[in-house]
Amino acid sequence: MIRVLLAEDEHLVREALAALLDLEDDIEVVAQVGSGDQVVAAVAEHRPDVAVLDIEMPGLDGLTVAERVAGQCRVVILTSLGRPGYLRRAMAAGAGGFLGKASSASELATAIRKVDAGGRHLDAELAAEAMAAGDSPLTDRERDVLRLAADGASLGRIAAELHLAEGTVRNYLSSAMTKLGGQNRLEAILAAQRMGWL
């Protein structure tokens, strides 16, 4: 039996997935949680073979959770957001599977089996989009600055939090705007979010 933990914030979706997966002869849903903050404790308690994580959850997002449970269980990421950068970030976080929520229950079951066996299962359309989009042009520091700006941080707060001079923060913002084709920081933030690079 493949022991599965489901992490999905929409109760109805989570219950439906659990019911469908429980119909499989070789898959057992051993735990269900509704927020990313609950996953690490649930993995420790229930010791699943595979965690199926929604990418967008309250608390910790699925990518952050995938990094935290790496080595304890294998991970399949589910997303309704087909952002190319998310696929690359999921693979970097250690996820073995990446599926859109438009996938069928049988495809999810197939992904769980493959990932449990040590393989990978990627949504073909999302993988093609990620390859076409290429790598993020942003440096780690530009991404940090944009992420804080997206959270509404002032120039001074960004500088303080990253231990940089305000002029350096301005330079990083300017560089990110140029790379992303944004006329201002909001356009750059939106472009980066649209691609899944933040």
Side-chain angles (χ1 to χ4, degrees):
M1 271 311 223
I2 302 170
R3 296 168 51 82
V4 172
L5 175 142
L6 286 176
E8 161 65 56
D9 62 323
E10 294 181 33
H11 187 76
L12 184 61
V13 173
R14 188 174 66 246
E15 291 289 328
L17 284 173
L20 290 168
L21 289 174
D22 279 338
L23 294 173
E24 301 290 328
D25 293 336
D26 58 342
I27 295 175
E28 176 187 10
V29 176
V30 295
Q32 299 179 43
V33 297
S35 86
D37 296 340
Q38 300 170 311
V39 176
V40 174
V43 165
E45 180 181 346
H46 298 282
R47 302 197 179 280
D49 300 306
V50 178
V52 177
L53 308 174
D54 184 6
I55 205 164
E56 294 280 328
M57 292 185 283
L60 299 175
D61 64 74
L63 297 173
T64 302
V65 172
E67 290 172 348
R68 293 192 181 178
V69 299
Q72 298 174 59
C73 65
R74 300 190 190 277
V75 173
V76 173
I77 297 283
L78 288 179
T79 182
S80 56
L81 306 167
R83 297 177 178 161
Y86 280 176
L87 174 60
R88 291 177 184 277
R89 289 173 56 202
M91 296 300 102
F98 192 86
L99 293 173
K101 285 189 179 178
S103 301
S104 67
S106 64
E107 185 173 1
L108 176 57
T110 298
I112 289 169
R113 289 182 189 104
K114 273 188 183 177
V115 169
D116 180 60
R120 290 201 184 274
H121 188 92
L122 307 177
D123 181 292
E125 189 174 317
L126 293 176
E129 287 175 20
M131 288 176 59
D135 291 329
S136 169
L138 301 172
T139 66
D140 289 341
R141 196 51 109 179
E142 289 165 346
R143 192 173 12 265
D144 292 342
V145 167
L146 275 183
R147 189 173 291 123
L148 288 169
D151 289 340
S154 68
L155 201 63
R157 191 173 129 225
I158 295 170
E161 193 159 328
L162 297 177
H163 308 290
L164 299 170
E166 287 188 24
T168 304
V169 171
R170 273 192 215 91
N171 290 340
Y172 281 125
L173 284 171
S174 177
S175 176
M177 289 185 307
T178 300
K179 289 177 178 180
L180 298 171
Q183 297 297 314
N184 55 48
R185 78 169 73 170
L186 179 59
E187 287 182 10
I189 290 166
L190 292 174
Q193 287 174 333
R194 193 170 39 253
M195 295 302 291
W197 292 333
L198 281 188

